[in-house]
Amino acid sequence: MEETIKICDLSDDLLLRILILVPAKDEVATAILSKRWRYIWQLLPHLTFKEDEDQDSESFGWFVDKTMQLHKAPSLICLDVELGPLCPVDVDVTKWVDKAVNHNVRYLDFALLWEGEPTSFPKSLYTCRTLVSLTLSNQILVDVSFPDASLPSLLYLKLVKVVYKDEVSLARLLSSSPVLRELDVQRRDEDENLTNFTVKVPSLKEFTYGRLRWGSYRPYGGGGRWEDQIGGVVVGDRLPSTNIFKDI
């Protein structure tokens, strides 16, 4: 007769692999199953929080905040957060980012879809030595107004309709990423803080620049300048190939 193995008899590693496949609210809910499960979810290396339309936005913000406070994994490989338009703007998202950085985050995807003013992220984000992939979307203010920004491991950067403090912040963000391979940019319809979007990253292998509504395709190689309705895009001479999408 085969021996029956209970799920609670599985190793912590296997339990964590199972929980990674479960929505965040269900991951935390497993704490009530037994004493064994009470703290397992706090060791998850991947955390994903996506606000649903049928969720109460205020309680969702509280849930994410509490989950981040209780999280105890020595290494947080991935943090993926999307806050909807009804989420209270007084939620302190900066401390979530700060905690992720302090736990050696490698993949960070953050979208603020709320109606409040653009939010600046902590300086620690732009000095994170472990970050490999960074995606910032919507009501996020890219403010790199300090000279010691350093992202030595960043390979993939995606900026979707964010707000740039100024051209200096953009330049410092890109220059702080010496091994950056892929850059994907979608601009807002109005971007008063930038006249030119300048890309001078010798390590870059792929650059996609476009608007939210994709239009005609146009390959663009080498260095030079390309104009759109927002402003100029200046591409450094060392960029081997670029895909630029322009509105029709």
Side-chain angles (χ1 to χ4, degrees), residues 26-128:
D26 296 327
E27 292 170 348
V28 178
T30 60
I32 66 174
L33 294 178
S34 69
K35 291 182 179 179
R36 173 77 194 290
W37 284 84
R38 185 172 300 170
Y39 304 108
I40 288 293
W41 69 268
Q42 297 179 7
L43 300 175
L44 282 166
H46 300 255
L47 291 177
T48 299
F49 303 100
K50 300 282 188 179
E51 186 176 355
D52 298 329
E53 292 183 0
D54 57 349
Q55 282 184 301
D56 179 82
S57 296
E58 186 170 354
S59 62
F60 178 76
W62 177 89
F63 167 74
V64 179
D65 192 62
K66 198 66 176 179
T67 301
M68 292 299 296
Q69 287 181 34
L70 295 174
H71 190 261
K72 297 179 179 178
S75 178
L76 181 57
I77 296 175
C78 176
L79 177 61
D80 188 350
V81 179
E82 181 181 301
L83 298 183
L86 299 180
C87 185
V89 296
D90 59 351
V91 174
D92 190 358
V93 297
T94 60
K95 65 182 180 182
W96 306 346
V97 174
D98 207 30
K99 181 161 186 175
V101 171
N102 290 335
H103 286 73
N104 303 314
V105 67
R106 297 183 62 196
Y107 303 90
L108 182 64
D109 188 334
F110 223 105
L112 297 182
L113 306 179
W114 57 30
E115 301 297 330
E117 292 295 316
T119 298
S120 296
F121 279 174
K123 177 181 177 179
S124 60
L125 173 63
Y126 304 108
T127 57
C128 181

Side-chain angles (χ1 to χ4, degrees), residues 39-228:
Y39 304 108
I40 288 293
W41 69 268
Q42 297 179 7
L43 300 175
L44 282 166
H46 300 255
L47 291 177
T48 299
F49 303 100
K50 300 282 188 179
E51 186 176 355
D52 298 329
E53 292 183 0
D54 57 349
Q55 282 184 301
D56 179 82
S57 296
E58 186 170 354
S59 62
F60 178 76
W62 177 89
F63 167 74
V64 179
D65 192 62
K66 198 66 176 179
T67 301
M68 292 299 296
Q69 287 181 34
L70 295 174
H71 190 261
K72 297 179 179 178
S75 178
L76 181 57
I77 296 175
C78 176
L79 177 61
D80 188 350
V81 179
E82 181 181 301
L83 298 183
L86 299 180
C87 185
V89 296
D90 59 351
V91 174
D92 190 358
V93 297
T94 60
K95 65 182 180 182
W96 306 346
V97 174
D98 207 30
K99 181 161 186 175
V101 171
N102 290 335
H103 286 73
N104 303 314
V105 67
R106 297 183 62 196
Y107 303 90
L108 182 64
D109 188 334
F110 223 105
L112 297 182
L113 306 179
W114 57 30
E115 301 297 330
E117 292 295 316
T119 298
S120 296
F121 279 174
K123 177 181 177 179
S124 60
L125 173 63
Y126 304 108
T127 57
C128 181
R129 302 190 63 82
T130 59
L131 197 60
V132 173
S133 176
L134 175 62
T135 298
L136 302 176
S137 304
N138 294 76
Q139 292 296 86
I140 295 174
L141 178 66
V142 176
D143 179 4
V144 193
S145 54
F146 48 91
D148 55 341
S150 177
L151 297 167
S153 303
L154 190 66
L155 297 175
Y156 309 100
L157 176 61
K158 186 172 184 178
L159 303 169
V160 181
K161 299 180 68 177
V162 297
V163 178
Y164 303 91
K165 181 181 180 181
D166 48 35
E167 292 187 12
V168 172
S169 286
L170 172 62
R172 282 180 174 161
L173 174 59
L174 296 180
S175 64
S176 70
S177 310
V179 297
L180 187 66
R181 294 179 60 85
E182 295 183 18
L183 175 62
D184 188 344
V185 177
Q186 295 178 29
R187 297 276 297 280
R188 292 174 174 235
D189 288 337
E190 296 181 2
D191 197 341
E192 297 178 353
N193 296 338
L194 294 185
T195 301
N196 291 321
F197 196 99
T198 303
V199 179
K200 295 181 180 180
V201 184
S203 62
L204 206 59
K205 301 299 181 185
E206 182 176 335
F207 171 37
T208 301
Y209 175 93
R211 306 285 289 281
L212 186 59
R213 301 179 302 278
W214 299 118
S216 57
Y217 167 81
R218 173 186 175 187
Y220 191 85
R225 178 185 177 91
W226 178 79
E227 295 283 349
D228 73 349

